[in-house]
Amino acid sequence: MNAKITWLGHATFLVDTGDHRVLVDPFLDDNPSATVKAADVECDHILVTHGHFDHIADCVPIATRTGATVVANFEICEWLKKQGVSEDKVSPLNVGGRASFAFGRMGATIAHHGSGLPDGSYGGVASGFVMRLGTARVYFAGDTSLFLDMKLIGVRPLELAVLPIGDRFTMGPVDAIEAVKLLSPHRVVPCHYNTWQPIEQDPHDWAGKVTQQTGAYPVVLDPGGSLEL
Ligand code: NI
Ligand code: MN
C-alpha cells in the first residue's frame, strides 16, 4: 500500500506505511486542534523534532503504553530515559546523521529553532527529518526558519514537504513560499498554524500563492485529514 499521512493537528502527524505506524511530534491531549487523544493512538515509532511541549507533550505516555521506539536527538533520548522510556526503546539520531529503521531509512536535518525540554532540561538542537517511504522521500521540516540549505534537501526529488507556516515561532507564509521554491517538492502540506491565536493563518490563501509561484501542489488538510503518497 502507499503510505498514508494523517494530520492530527498542529505539528502532529501519523504516517501509516501499512506495516508500520510512525507518530511525529506527539502533542494531543492539550492540543486544541487535535482530533484524537493520546490514549487512542497506536504506533510503533515516535519521531520528535525538538523538545518543546507542543512536539513532545504526549511522547512518554504513548511510548510507555505502546512500546514504540522513540527517535530524537541524543539529549532528548537521554531525557526520555529519565522519564521512564526504556533504554532499548530510544534511538538517537542527530542532525546530519542517517540510519535505517523498520519503516525505512531516515536522516535528521538542520532546523533553526530551540529545543529546551518542558522541565527546563537542555534538549540539544532542533531538527527536521527526511524519511524514505518506499520510493518516496518525505521531509518534515519541524519548527524552523527558512534556511538556504533547504536547497540541498531538495537536490533529490521530494514527494512531500511538510512545512510550518504559522509565523512568530517558525517561518510564516511568506518564507514558507521561499522554502517551497528551494525544496521543489511534488506536494507540500502546511502545519503549525491556527492552533492558537498567535499563529493564525489562512492556509487556503497560502496554497493559492504556492500554486501561483511554485511548481508544487499544495495540500491543505483539516486536522484528522490525510493524504496518500
Ligand atoms: Ni518549537
Ligand atoms: Mn512548535
Side-chain angles (χ1 to χ4, degrees):
M1 97 176 221
N2 293 330
K4 182 173 149 191
I5 299 182
T6 303
W7 189 33
L8 301 181
H10 196 56
T12 308
F13 287 83
L14 185 66
V15 180
D16 187 346
T17 69
D19 296 322
H20 297 281
R21 290 164 69 88
V22 183
L23 182 64
V24 182
D25 282 350
F27 172 52
L28 296 167
D29 285 355
D30 293 332
N31 174 353
S33 68
T35 54
V36 291
K37 290 293 178 192
D40 299 322
V41 173
E42 296 300 331
C43 59
D44 48 72
H45 286 76
I46 300 171
L47 315 182
V48 177
T49 59
H50 66 289
H52 291 165
F53 75 96
D54 58 320
H55 299 257
I56 202 171
D58 295 307
C59 181
V60 171
I62 295 173
T64 50
R65 175 176 57 79
T66 61
T69 296
V70 186
V71 184
N73 72 31
F74 174 81
E75 290 82 0
I76 291 175
C77 285
E78 290 300 300
W79 182 82
L80 288 170
K81 287 195 276 181
K82 289 183 197 151
Q83 311 304 310
V85 179
S86 66
E87 184 153 13
D88 62 340
K89 294 295 183 185
V90 297
S91 186
L93 187 70
N94 275 21
V95 170
R98 295 177 196 173
S100 292
F101 301 91
F103 59 84
R105 199 151 167 83
M106 186 172 77
T109 64
I110 62 171
H112 293 306
H113 194 73
S115 185
L117 287 153
D119 64 1
S121 298
Y122 177 64
V125 298
S127 74
F129 294 112
V130 176
M131 59 173 77
R132 185 173 281 285
L133 300 170
T135 57
R137 289 175 75 236
V138 176
Y139 171 47
F140 287 93
D143 283 8
T144 185
S145 67
L146 174 66
F147 56 90
L148 190 56
D149 291 19
M150 285 179 178
K151 184 91 184 164
L152 294 173
I153 296 169
V155 163
R156 283 183 291 144
L158 274 176
E159 173 55 35
L160 176 68
V162 178
L163 304 179
I165 67 161
D167 221 335
R168 189 172 288 266
F169 304 105
T170 67
M171 60 185 170
V174 174
D175 282 354
I177 294 281
E178 296 306 310
V180 175
K181 292 178 187 171
L182 292 170
L183 292 161
S184 302
H186 180 216
R187 286 181 282 180
V188 59
V189 168
C191 69
H192 212 280
Y193 66 89
N194 289 1
T195 319
W196 302 283
Q197 189 278 328
I199 56 172
E200 273 180 9
Q201 301 295 342
D202 180 344
H204 298 286
D205 178 71
W206 183 76
K209 291 182 172 126
V210 169
T211 303
Q212 283 166 9
Q213 299 177 35
T214 81
Y217 295 100
V219 181
V220 175
L221 298 171
D222 292 322
S226 58
L227 62 84
E228 275 190 23
L229 290 185

